[in-house]
Amino acid sequence: MAQTRWLTADQQDAWVRFAAVLELLPAALNSQLERDEQLSHFEYFVLAMLSEAHDRRLRMTALASRTNSTIARLSRVVSRLEAQGFVARVPSDDDGRVINAVLTDLGWQKIVHAAPGHVENVRHNVVDALTAQQVEQLRTISTLLLERLDPKGAMLASVRPSTTRSNGKRGD
Amino acid sequence: MAQTRWLTADQQDAWVRFAAVLELLPAALNSQLERDEQLSHFEYFVLAMLSEAHDRRLRMTALASRTNSTIARLSRVVSRLEAQGFVARVPSDDDGRVINAVLTDLGWQKIVHAAPGHVENVRHNVVDALTAQQVEQLRTISTLLLERLDPKGAMLASVRPSTTRSNGKRGD
DNA sequence: TAAGATTGAATCGTCAATCTTA
DNA sequence: TAAGATTGACGATTCAATCTTA
């Protein structure tokens, strides 16, 4: 192709492969969850973020930020989760404009039920496919990429400082 | 969360960050192309695959395989690209069932015009954010992940054998 | 009957407009 | 007027059904 000279052959090779991962890995995560739990990965992630939040609740804007979604998208997904009884919308007492998304007991049961299969899938497709050293390299690389992609670090609000080893407890 | 013990803290940290990249990087690629070229990344990729193919043409099934999409999705995207004059559908002479997607001159001009900006974006968001060594690590990691995700290697049909350094000329 | 490809119906995400409260 | 959130309209993707040729 015309622009071939813009990247070296090695860089291109790395990028072509990485781009393929970008396409296939999210699809793999989605299909396991959809098959086993009738949940998209995004829906799973919303439930997971709520399950880790204080009081199992988060205002819509905060939840949108942590899941890196637009508020519009989140609003629609929460509506679906609400219809299934996994989440409830509770208006804030302090500020009449804000809505808190609250994980219901049923929602908690759902995420607890779904988590092992999902984690197993992550383990199979990512963690077990790499050496411990490569997992560490991937962590470093991801951190560097996120600095470009998400300078504010909104999505990593729940994650420890970037260059320090994490001891935090948090699932995905 | 409930399943926290299933991954070590370091593995989780790596995964949380990588998952964020999986979400944000495709979005970044899309928005540059949509802003500058009115093309989704997937549409760009379809044009790019055609531009590299022999005779600038590929049958629908082969194109679906290289772009890792379903045939249904590809069919709709090709319809859109056809409506814009970038691609033409040409029935095969040999087999009346197959349709070849052919890059038109206009489509060639489009991809030639779009490529530098896209490559620059890849460079900015990925290649320049990493050291040469890290790019190499990412290549290795991606290769390992693809072995799990895409054992047939259909998507990498145009890429050289996985453990050999590539000298091939190919764009993204 | 199977392979290649397209399409209708339903679902999901996005953009802009809107509504409500601060 | 701005902030938080929802919604209508529209475009994109998926699944299953369909059509055509081998």
Side-chain angles (χ1 to χ4, degrees):
Chain A
M1 251 206 51
Q3 87 292 9
T4 290
R5 56 182 152 10
W6 293 92
L7 294 178
T8 69
D10 280 355
Q11 288 172 339
Q12 270 185 48
D13 191 50
W15 169 243
V16 170
R17 289 171 197 282
F18 185 42
V21 171
L22 253 29
E23 192 79 15
L24 293 171
L25 187 50
L29 298 179
N30 264 312
S31 52
Q32 179 270 326
L33 281 168
E34 246 145 48
R35 173 169 45 80
D36 298 343
E37 302 287 343
Q38 292 76 54
L39 237 39
S40 70
H41 181 251
F42 183 71
E43 290 169 332
Y44 173 91
F45 200 68
V46 167
L47 296 180
M49 288 302 107
L50 287 176
S51 78
E52 294 166 15
H54 174 64
D55 237 10
R56 295 183 192 169
R57 80 182 51 204
L58 237 27
R59 54 162 66 189
M60 295 297 283
T61 348
L63 187 51
S65 171
R66 297 218 186 168
T67 57
N68 197 58
S69 79
T70 60
I71 306 189
R73 180 187 186 188
L74 180 68
S75 181
R76 301 218 123 103
V77 170
V78 167
S79 296
R80 272 178 260 152
L81 293 172
E82 194 178 23
Q84 299 175 84
F86 298 144
V87 169
R89 277 182 162 98
V90 180
S92 163
D93 293 336
D94 307 331
D95 187 330
R97 295 171 302 179
V98 345
I99 300 286
N100 285 300
V102 184
L103 193 66
T104 63
D105 288 345
L106 190 62
W108 173 259
Q109 289 167 30
K110 183 68 177 176
I111 189 74
V112 166
H113 186 266
H118 174 62
V119 173
E120 175 52 34
N121 196 29
V122 170
R123 179 184 287 299
H124 173 71
N125 282 298
V126 181
V127 177
D128 285 354
L130 305 174
T131 67
Q133 192 189 10
Q134 285 169 333
V135 171
E136 175 60 21
Q137 290 170 356
L138 184 58
R139 191 182 71 78
T140 302
I141 288 168
S142 297
T143 301
L144 291 169
L145 297 183
L146 286 177
E147 282 169 13
R148 301 273 171 130
L149 292 167
D150 179 28
K152 304 295 172 62
M155 197 171 184
L156 295 174
S158 63
V159 178
R160 308 294 159 270
S162 70
T163 46
T164 303
R165 277 321 233 299
S166 165
N167 297 309
K169 293 258 201 296
R170 112 199 46 84
D172 156 38
Chain B
M1 255 207 45
Q3 86 294 8
T4 290
R5 56 181 150 12
W6 293 91
L7 294 178
T8 69
D10 280 356
Q11 288 172 340
Q12 270 185 48
D13 191 50
W15 169 244
V16 169
R17 288 171 197 281
F18 186 41
V21 172
L22 253 28
E23 191 80 15
L24 294 171
L25 187 50
L29 298 179
N30 263 312
S31 53
Q32 179 270 327
L33 281 168
E34 246 144 49
R35 172 169 46 79
D36 298 342
E37 301 286 343
Q38 292 77 55
L39 237 39
S40 70
H41 182 251
F42 182 70
E43 291 168 331
Y44 173 90
F45 201 69
V46 166
L47 295 181
M49 289 301 107
L50 286 177
S51 78
E52 295 167 14
H54 175 64
D55 236 10
R56 294 182 191 168
R57 80 183 51 204
L58 238 27
R59 54 162 65 187
M60 296 297 284
T61 351
L63 188 52
S65 171
R66 297 220 187 166
T67 57
N68 197 59
S69 79
T70 60
I71 305 189
R73 180 187 186 189
L74 180 68
S75 180
R76 302 213 123 105
V77 170
V78 167
S79 295
R80 269 178 262 152
L81 294 172
E82 194 178 22
Q84 298 175 85
F86 298 144
V87 169
R89 278 182 162 97
V90 180
S92 164
D93 293 335
D94 307 329
D95 187 329
R97 296 172 301 181
V98 346
I99 300 286
N100 285 299
V102 185
L103 193 65
T104 64
D105 287 344
L106 190 62
W108 173 259
Q109 289 168 30
K110 182 68 177 176
I111 189 74
V112 166
H113 186 265
H118 174 63
V119 172
E120 176 52 35
N121 196 29
V122 169
R123 179 184 287 298
H124 174 71
N125 281 297
V126 181
V127 177
D128 285 354
L130 306 174
T131 66
Q133 193 188 8
Q134 285 168 333
V135 171
E136 175 59 21
Q137 291 169 357
L138 184 58
R139 193 183 70 80
T140 302
I141 288 168
S142 297
T143 301
L144 291 169
L145 298 183
L146 285 177
E147 282 169 13
R148 300 274 170 130
L149 292 166
D150 179 28
K152 303 295 171 60
M155 198 171 181
L156 295 174
S158 62
V159 178
R160 307 293 161 272
S162 70
T163 46
T164 303
R165 279 319 235 299
S166 166
N167 297 310
K169 292 257 198 300
R170 115 196 42 82
D172 149 43

